Amino acid sequence: MTREHLKKPSTSLLAAATAAAIATVAWPLGSAPVIALLVAGLAVFYLLVAAGTIAAHLATLRRWKRSGWLVGYFTAHASQLVHPDNGQWVLSEHHARRRGPGWGAQLRAVVWPHLAREADRAGVVVRTATKVPALANQYLRDMPGLHVEDEAGGVIRLVRDPG
């Protein structure tokens, strides 16, 4: 689960169904218990969603670690994970402290040239992807040799062949 899952109508419908079920069961008790149970029930619901999201991310990280290695790069404002996949390096989980222009630029300015040099030295293809066209353009500017491989399903896949 990701932030995208929380935006989907199915999660909202499930939350509404949970609230309706709690209200129906608690209605004979009066309005104060209904409100208290609704708040508690929805809090538990979203805690379970958060726990599922965290568990999915941890399982993914463990899988990447088992496949050989997992490297994380961090600044005060951004992070980037790199892991191998079928003999290629995948740049994933690139997060900035806040959304907006420039928050991840400092990290990319330092880390991406280093990764490009190391990928060239090792003869490895580098891949990344984004759903945001503005980020794809920024990524293309930030890593020499990176180019658009394809765009399907709203995802822009970028690749860099070793130089």
Side-chain angles (χ1 to χ4, degrees):
M1 268 194 224
T2 65
R3 186 177 342 164
E4 295 301 315
H5 287 89
L6 294 175
K7 294 178 184 175
K8 291 186 177 179
S10 58
T11 303
S12 298
L13 289 174
L14 191 53
T18 301
I22 291 169
T24 302
V25 170
W27 191 256
L29 302 174
S31 63
V34 168
I35 292 170
L37 286 172
L38 277 173
V39 169
L42 289 174
V44 167
F45 173 79
Y46 281 106
L47 283 172
L48 290 173
V49 169
T53 301
I54 290 168
H57 280 286
L58 287 175
T60 300
L61 291 174
R62 283 191 194 109
R63 180 176 50 83
W64 289 343
K65 188 176 176 187
R66 279 194 308 269
S67 68
W69 50 269
L70 171 66
V71 176
Y73 295 94
F74 306 92
T75 66
H77 300 294
S79 64
Q80 172 79 67
L81 296 182
V82 182
H83 61 91
D85 187 28
N86 294 323
Q88 301 174 345
W89 292 355
V90 179
L91 308 181
S92 62
E93 303 301 320
H94 180 41
H95 296 285
R97 181 182 232 173
R98 291 193 178 103
R99 288 184 179 196
W103 284 97
Q106 179 187 14
L107 176 88
R108 289 191 306 271
V110 174
V111 172
W112 284 20
H114 162 74
L115 287 171
R117 284 189 306 273
E118 292 300 312
D120 287 346
R121 196 166 60 91
V124 177
V125 171
V126 175
R127 294 187 171 282
T128 192
T130 182
K131 290 183 174 184
V132 182
L135 278 178
N137 290 331
Q138 184 66 48
Y139 294 172
L140 292 168
R141 285 190 298 271
D142 288 349
M143 183 177 281
L146 193 67
H147 61 276
V148 176
E149 181 181 40
D150 71 356
E151 187 173 347
V155 177
I156 304 164
R157 289 174 187 77
L158 307 168
V159 64
R160 181 188 183 277
D161 297 313

